[in-house]
């Protein structure tokens, strides 16, 4: 059994969680900064994602791309990601290379600015713009992950704008803008460091103190904008998106409780009943049964502040019209609200979700990432250990009460992609 996590806070505010796991000779280092696109100001969107790239471009003692080279030469893997509320960086290395991974993370946290140049900014700005062209603008359905938040949250809301940013905002970013953004958000007192693997916690903590202890706290950070929204959409919001696609796709979102709330666990089971696996209702009825769709899934955004989103993602067969797709998905949801899930469906959903959770926890890096998530959003790593128990405690009655309350037409936002050739039928 994996020992319980050790948690510490350095004098500079860096929160550290260490888990000793001697089953394999590797160690995962995972660093979450509590900054995402929600922290960007108008006219300067895309900065958090830009920094996902900039932090691999070298620091005072590390040359551009050397972070990648050193970790990979040591036999490790690494990457980073950005979301609305956070940015994370992570490495998995052979256990004896822990000091290298910590030194690299500390150098870019404490000494990135001396290595930041206009040339590096210009290069990464173009990389991000190309990424936007490839993954958003020229990818079938690729704009959904900026159009859906824009549909679900009002214009002034921190979650409304695009995570990857606009060409105009990226072009307008000056070196001073970027320096200010880094100095504001990438500080030890706005970060969580998690170490999981074949380490002795006291020795690992001593290394953390050596490399991170001298980094000063950050400056005062501005508060997020107003995150409050009504519990429900108070109607059915619809947007039709003509796109260069062969088949229609529907993203149907419902406002739901934020990550960590008791009812958020119930929402996880509701999503699994609807769209997780071949036994889910959407798969059974629309993909395998009536054969009007080729794929169906359901998930939550895991937003920790304000309201979260539960999203259904269903792609039609090419011969299925957008109208039929939307009507069929609505029919499944309405039937769920009206008749409720059976105990067998809830039992399957809990078992499937638990299996996926336990399987993911076998990876040191996945475990470190989830610990960082709970420390960042909830301030408590121990909540993660209780997650499967909380899921197991969800009852059929809770699921059906939740579905009746939250899946109604007063709480829907649909983003419907249609082949351009059929757009005239939907405008």
């Amino acid at each position: 059994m994996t020992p319980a996590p050790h948690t510490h806070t350095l004098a500079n505010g860096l929160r550290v969680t260490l888990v000793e796991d001697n089953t394999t000779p590797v160690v995962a280092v995972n660093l979450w900064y509590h900054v995402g696109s929600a922290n960007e100001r108008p006219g300067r969107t895309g900065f958090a994602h830009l920094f996902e790239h900039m932090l691999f471009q070298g620091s005072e003692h590390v040359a551009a791309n050397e972070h990648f080279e050193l970790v990979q030469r040591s036999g490790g893997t690494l990457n980073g990601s950005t979301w609305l509320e956070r940015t994370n960086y992570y490495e998995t290395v052979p256990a004896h290379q822990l000091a290298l991974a910590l030194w690299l993370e500390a150098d870019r946290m404490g000494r990135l600015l001396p290595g930041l140049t206009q040339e590096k900014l210009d290069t990464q700005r173009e990389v991000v713009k190309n990424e936007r062209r490839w993954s958003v603008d020229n990818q079938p359905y690729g704009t959904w992950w900026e159009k859906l938040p824009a549909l679900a949250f009002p214009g002034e809301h921190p979650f409304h704008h695009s995570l990857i940013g606009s060409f105009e905002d990226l072009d307008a970013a000056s070196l001073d803008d970027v320096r200010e953004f880094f100095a504001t958000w990438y500080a030890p007192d706005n970060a969580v460091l998690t170490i999981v693997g074949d380490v002795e916690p006291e020795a690992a903590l001593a290394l953390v103190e050596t490399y991170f202890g001298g980094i000063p706290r950050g400056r005062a950070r501005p508060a997020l904008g107003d995150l409050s929204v009504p519990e429900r959409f108070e109607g059915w919001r619809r947007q039709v998106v003509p796109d260069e696609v062969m088949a229609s796709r529907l993203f149907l979102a419902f406002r739901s409780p934020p990550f960590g709330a008791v009812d958020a666990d119930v929402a996880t089971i509701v999503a699994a009943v609807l769209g997780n696996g071949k036994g889910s209702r959407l798969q059974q009825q629309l993909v395998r049964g009536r054969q009007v769709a080729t794929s169906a899934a359901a998930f939550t955004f895991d937003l920790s502040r304000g309201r979260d989103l539960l999203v259904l993602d269903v792609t039609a067969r090419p011969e299925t019209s957008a109208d039929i797709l939307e009507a069929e998905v609505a029919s499944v949801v309405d039937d769920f609200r009206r008749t409720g899930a059976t105990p067998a469906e809830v039992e399957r959903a809990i078992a499937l979700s638990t299996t996926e959770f336990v399987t993911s926890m076998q990876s040191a890096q996945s475990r470190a990432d989830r610990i960082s998530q709970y420390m960042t959003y909830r301030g408590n790593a121990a909540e993660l250990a209780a997650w499967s128990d909380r899921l197991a405690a969800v009852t059929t009655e809770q699921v059906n009460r939740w579905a009746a309350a939250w899946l109604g037409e007063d709480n829907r936002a649909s983003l419907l992609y249609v082949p351009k050739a059929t757009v005239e039928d939907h405008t």
Side-chain angles (χ1 to χ4, degrees), residues 89 101 108 110 126 134 149-150 178 187-188 192 209 236 250 253-254 264 268 277 301 316 342 353 355 386 388 418 423:
Y89 298 91
R108 61 183 177 185
E126 292 306 312
W134 176 78
V178 172
V192 166
E209 184 67 54
W236 191 339
L250 175 68
F254 311 86
T268 297
F301 267 35
T342 66
S353 300
T355 298
S388 58
V418 299
V423 67

Side-chain angles (χ1 to χ4, degrees), residues 46-291:
F47 273 36
H49 178 252
L50 179 63
F51 262 96
E52 181 192 321
H53 291 253
M54 293 302 299
L55 263 67
F56 287 109
Q57 293 308 302
S59 46
E60 184 174 18
H61 304 106
V62 181
N65 296 315
E66 192 177 16
H67 193 126
F68 267 100
E69 292 176 14
L70 289 171
V71 171
Q72 290 174 338
R73 284 178 184 173
S74 77
T77 60
L78 72 163
N79 216 327
S81 70
T82 312
W83 190 228
L84 281 66
E85 295 184 276
R86 57 80 183 155
T87 305
N88 67 344
Y89 298 91
Y90 48 91
E91 297 91 3
T92 300
V93 295
H96 68 279
Q97 296 287 1
L98 173 62
L100 170 66
L102 293 176
W103 176 76
L104 287 168
E105 289 292 357
D107 202 65
R108 61 183 177 185
M109 177 190 283
R111 290 167 288 276
L112 180 88
L113 293 182
L116 183 61
T117 65
Q118 185 68 48
E119 182 181 7
K120 290 178 181 177
L121 171 60
D122 292 341
T123 298
Q124 292 311 306
R125 189 192 341 248
E126 292 306 312
V127 170
V128 171
K129 288 164 68 176
N130 282 333
E131 182 179 341
R132 182 187 168 90
R133 293 185 186 99
W134 176 78
S135 65
V136 178
D137 298 324
N138 297 315
Q139 184 76 233
Y141 318 107
T143 55
W144 82 270
W145 58 294
E146 63 180 6
K147 288 185 179 298
L148 189 62
L151 180 66
F153 297 101
E156 68 280 6
H157 194 283
F159 296 153
H160 174 87
H161 69 264
S162 168
L163 186 153
I164 202 167
S166 67
F167 286 118
E168 293 76 15
D169 286 359
L170 290 169
D171 284 336
S174 70
L175 195 58
D176 285 342
D177 290 332
V178 172
R179 289 178 182 276
E180 180 185 4
F181 193 79
F182 177 82
T184 302
W185 298 106
Y186 296 79
D189 50 327
N190 195 42
V192 166
L193 174 65
T194 302
I195 300 171
V196 175
D198 190 13
V199 296
E200 196 285 311
E202 287 189 10
L205 183 61
L207 284 174
V208 171
E209 184 67 54
T210 297
Y211 294 124
F212 289 87
I215 301 173
R217 286 175 174 267
R219 60 179 64 171
R221 288 178 286 277
L224 274 176
D226 186 4
L227 288 154
S228 62
V229 290
E231 282 193 336
R232 294 166 178 76
F233 287 120
E234 300 180 335
W236 191 339
R237 302 180 183 181
R238 284 186 170 92
Q239 182 178 353
V240 176
V241 183
D243 202 0
E244 297 290 349
V245 294
M246 296 296 293
S248 297
R249 176 178 285 186
L250 175 68
F251 295 91
L252 181 58
F254 311 86
R255 280 196 179 138
S256 63
F259 177 87
V262 173
D263 274 359
D265 299 329
V266 182
T268 297
I269 300 305
V270 169
V273 169
L274 280 168
N276 192 352
K278 293 181 178 178
S280 66
R281 288 201 171 196
L282 290 168
Q283 287 268 349
Q284 283 282 335
Q285 297 182 27
L286 304 188
V287 178
R288 299 162 67 91
R290 297 195 281 279
Q291 298 188 5

Side-chain angles (χ1 to χ4, degrees), residues 29-46:
V29 173
N30 187 290
L31 187 60
W32 272 45
Y33 290 98
H34 205 174
V35 56
S37 60
N39 302 101
E40 297 159 352
R41 59 187 174 91
R44 292 295 183 270
T45 63

